[in-house]
């Protein structure tokens, strides 16, 4: 009930605090026999880690992952995989002034009211730093799914603040600090420089997809693929909205447009986002998330302290003016964990199912 474990068959238990000695996770349920090394995980951690550009927090963490268990002679054994990431660049003194205050937009107030105690250093357990272990676990899931089904996960920034980013190509995403699918990010850089100078922050919209997803993943009624995706994405710090497929645009669509027609070659459109009735269609999973503005800003704001007295809060330290900039690999990881969980469930329940290829079936030629 303490909410630190994600998944059942592929269960990831997350531990640590932002300014503790280390953070990490334990993965229980990874199938045996898959080749796995730190190098398989480090790439995604490097994409998420802080200090990679002037537009993100300058906390300098290498986020070097260690595999402590669950791998023997380079292969997974089917036993729990423990992953550890050392914290090496804490500056807890930056948080001394707010130890008795509640920062607006943060979990300070709710953690204190729930537990009667809180770790104020960098947000403690509620810090976005705790997404790093999930990115590490997601890298393990990504590798297994790619080797088993050829599944590929990709993400990009679709909007930052009030700037909508047009999609040009996936090839541009790894070439800029915003994970933006465009060649020229000068407008985004100027926007972020002005925002930081103003002592303010902004939100972002992130698109994440999964291609070559097996047909049939997902369980009715309450363990649907799309409901689990929404649950997973809302578990990411600062996420305030999730869309699957057409999402809220469905409100203005007509049924003649929204329903994805099917031909012998496959679906014509993908307004459903790759899920029908909570079960994957084999199309790309299409997910979009909305991330709120960073709560840690240097502009003074009104709040109260632990004695219910009014205070003016100024959050010092090293913070992202837009936490959405580093959210893309996190969203990819959480989507991978959902797909991994459902792939293992489907293999357990429906591994013997073999749908006959009736030539008269409209799906026969593309299933």
């Amino acid at each position: 009930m303490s909410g630190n474990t994600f998944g059942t068959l592929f269960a990831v238990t997350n531990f640590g605090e932002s300014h503790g000695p280390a953070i990490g996770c334990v993965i229980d349920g990874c199938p045996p026999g898959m080749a796995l090394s730190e190098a398989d995980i480090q790439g995604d951690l490097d994409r998420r880690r802080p200090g990679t550009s002037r537009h993100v927090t300058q906390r300098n963490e290498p986020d070097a992952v260690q595999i402590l268990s669950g791998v023997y002679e380079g292969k997974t054994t089917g036993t729990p995989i423990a992953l550890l990431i050392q914290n090496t660049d804490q500056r807890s003194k930056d948080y001394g002034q707010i130890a008795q205050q509640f920062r607006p937009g943060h979990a300070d107030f709710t953690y204190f009211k729930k537990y009667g105690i809180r770790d104020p250093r960098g947000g403690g357990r509620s810090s976005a730093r705790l997404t790093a272990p999930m990115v590490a676990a997601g890298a393990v899931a990504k590798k297994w799914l790619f080797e088993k089904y050829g599944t590929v996960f990709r993400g990009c920034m679709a909007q930052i603040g009030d700037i909508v980013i047009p999609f040009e190509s996936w090839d541009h995403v790894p070439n800029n600090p915003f994970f933006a699918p465009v060649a020229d990010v000068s407008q985004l850089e100027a926007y972020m420089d002005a925002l930081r100078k103003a002592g303010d922050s902004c939100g972002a919209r992130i698109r994440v997809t999964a291609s070559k997803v097996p047909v049939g993943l997902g369980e009715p009624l309450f363990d649907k693929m799309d409901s689990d995706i929404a649950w997973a994405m809302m578990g990411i710090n600062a996420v305030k909205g999730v869309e699957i497929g057409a999402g809220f645009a469905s409100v203005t669509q007509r049924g003649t447009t929204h329903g994805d027609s099917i031909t012998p070659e496959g679906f014509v459109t993908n307004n459903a986002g790759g899920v029908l009735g909570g079960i994957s269609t084999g199309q790309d999973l299409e997910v979009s998330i909305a991330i709120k503005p960073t709560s840690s800003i240097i502009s003074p704001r009104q709040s109260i302290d632990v004695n219910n007295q009014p205070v003016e809060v100024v959050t010092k330290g090293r913070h992202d003016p837009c936490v959405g900039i580093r959210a893309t690999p996190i969203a990819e990881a959480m989507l991978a964990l959902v797909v991994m969980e459902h792939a293992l469930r489907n293999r357990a329940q429906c591994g013997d199912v073999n749908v006959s290829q009736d030539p008269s079936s409209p799906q026969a030629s593309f299933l």
Side-chain angles (χ1 to χ4, degrees), residues 249-259 271:
S250 304
V251 175
T252 59
Q253 290 179 332
R254 300 292 179 91
T256 49
T257 301
H258 180 78
N271 288 303

Side-chain angles (χ1 to χ4, degrees), residues 31-37 69-79 81:
M34 179 179 72
L36 185 68
S37 68
S69 67
V71 175
Y72 177 69
E73 294 184 343
K75 292 188 176 182
T76 57
T77 61
T79 58
I81 301 171

Side-chain angles (χ1 to χ4, degrees), residues 31-111:
M34 179 179 72
L36 185 68
S37 68
E38 282 92 350
D40 293 317
I41 302 169
Q42 194 62 51
D44 276 354
L45 284 171
D46 289 343
R47 295 169 66 218
R48 190 221 70 96
R49 77 178 185 87
T52 53
S53 80
R54 72 175 189 270
H55 305 296
V56 299
T57 173
Q58 295 306 294
R59 180 172 176 174
N60 186 21
E61 293 285 0
D63 281 356
V65 66
Q66 297 174 262
I67 299 176
L68 302 183
S69 67
V71 175
Y72 177 69
E73 294 184 343
K75 292 188 176 182
T76 57
T77 61
T79 58
I81 301 171
L83 303 177
L84 188 71
I85 302 168
Q86 301 283 348
N87 286 329
T88 63
D89 189 26
Q90 310 98 312
R91 290 208 320 220
S92 301
K93 59 180 174 53
D94 289 340
Y95 299 89
Q97 185 176 350
I98 62 169
Q100 302 299 313
Q101 301 173 344
F102 302 128
R103 295 167 295 174
H106 277 278
D108 301 343
F109 177 82
T110 50
Y111 266 59

Side-chain angles (χ1 to χ4, degrees), residues 16-39:
E17 292 83 30
S18 177
H19 285 216
I23 55 177
C25 67
V26 176
I27 304 170
D28 200 1
C30 182
M34 179 179 72
L36 185 68
S37 68
E38 282 92 350

